Amino acid sequence: MRKLVYTGFMSLDGVVDSPGGGPGEEHRSGGWVFKDLEFVEEAWSLKGEELADTTALMFGRRSYEAFASVWPGSDDHADYRDLPKYVVSSTLQDDALVDGWGPTTILRSTEDVAALKEGEGGAVFIHGSAELARRLSDAGLIDQYNLLMFPVLLGAGKSLFGRADRDKQMLALRESATYSNGIVKLVYDVRR
């Protein structure tokens, strides 16, 4: 069985926008990850550590379109270039997929994601894709959360976790670290 890992940047009040802001993040604090906070290199070490475990990437349609316009030619993301990618979308068409960015498969439903998890292979990491992560979390499909929690309250933006009345889900803290700029690394396994 494959493990599904959500990795993201989160404000203390649960907002998970992209690092630099972008479409769908038109609130006044969009792009908050790189604003007003001292850069401390070791606070970003989680991103490099994840790469060793990543065997595939998963995106929602909007995140795929945003990343596909930058990551294939980015030296900073070269290690992701040839990894298999999965896009969960009911609307994206095959002709919209980017060439030269590794094999890409469109999954049409959470059931397709569940079937992928039942197959052989290593960990699949979800980058960005807050709405997708929320749906997969509600469906009980996420196995691990890798979060960098930022010392900021935003009050607006996309939330990783839904507000629906659902069964309690317990998490086990696997790893944590704090950094001089106030960022906290939190790695949680979902208890089954």
Side-chain angles (χ1 to χ4, degrees):
M1 181 174 216
R2 299 184 84 166
K3 180 166 57 170
L4 192 57
V5 180
Y6 176 79
T7 178
F9 306 120
M10 178 182 282
S11 69
L12 188 60
D13 57 348
V15 174
V16 289
D17 289 338
S18 67
E25 299 169 14
E26 285 79 22
H27 58 85
R28 63 182 162 184
S29 297
W32 55 273
V33 171
F34 295 120
K35 292 179 183 175
D36 306 319
L37 196 62
E38 175 190 0
F39 178 78
V40 175
E41 187 172 346
E42 60 267 19
W44 301 96
S45 64
L46 175 64
K47 303 316 286 175
E49 294 163 8
E50 289 174 340
L51 191 55
D53 295 329
T54 303
T55 63
L57 300 173
M58 183 176 287
F59 306 100
R61 179 189 53 83
R62 282 186 289 249
S63 290
Y64 173 78
E65 290 171 345
F67 290 136
S69 67
V70 177
W71 281 19
S74 166
D75 289 339
D76 290 339
H77 300 94
D79 292 328
Y80 293 124
R81 195 166 293 135
D82 296 325
L83 288 176
K85 290 153 194 83
Y86 299 95
V87 183
V88 183
S89 173
S90 61
T91 59
L92 187 69
Q93 299 302 313
D94 286 328
D95 61 357
L97 298 177
V98 173
D99 290 329
W101 197 33
T104 305
T105 303
I106 299 173
L107 305 175
R108 298 294 180 192
S109 66
T110 55
E111 291 80 13
D112 290 345
V113 175
L116 173 70
K117 282 187 60 172
E118 293 296 324
E120 296 295 319
V124 179
F125 279 69
I126 303 168
H127 288 260
S129 309
E131 292 174 32
L132 171 63
R134 191 169 40 251
R135 281 197 331 262
L136 297 178
S137 176
D138 287 346
L141 294 174
I142 295 184
D143 302 295
Q144 182 177 317
Y145 294 94
N146 291 1
L147 303 172
L148 290 179
M149 181 82 66
F150 286 71
V152 62
L153 300 172
L154 297 172
K158 295 176 186 174
S159 174
L160 174 58
F161 303 105
R163 301 290 180 237
D165 185 9
R166 56 178 270 191
D167 290 339
K168 175 176 63 176
Q169 188 172 51
M170 296 300 296
L171 305 176
L173 183 64
R174 173 190 293 216
E175 183 181 350
S176 66
T178 57
Y179 304 101
S180 61
N181 60 359
I183 293 175
V184 178
K185 174 173 72 172
L186 299 165
V187 178
Y188 288 103
D189 292 319
V190 175
R191 289 187 186 170
R192 304 265 186 233

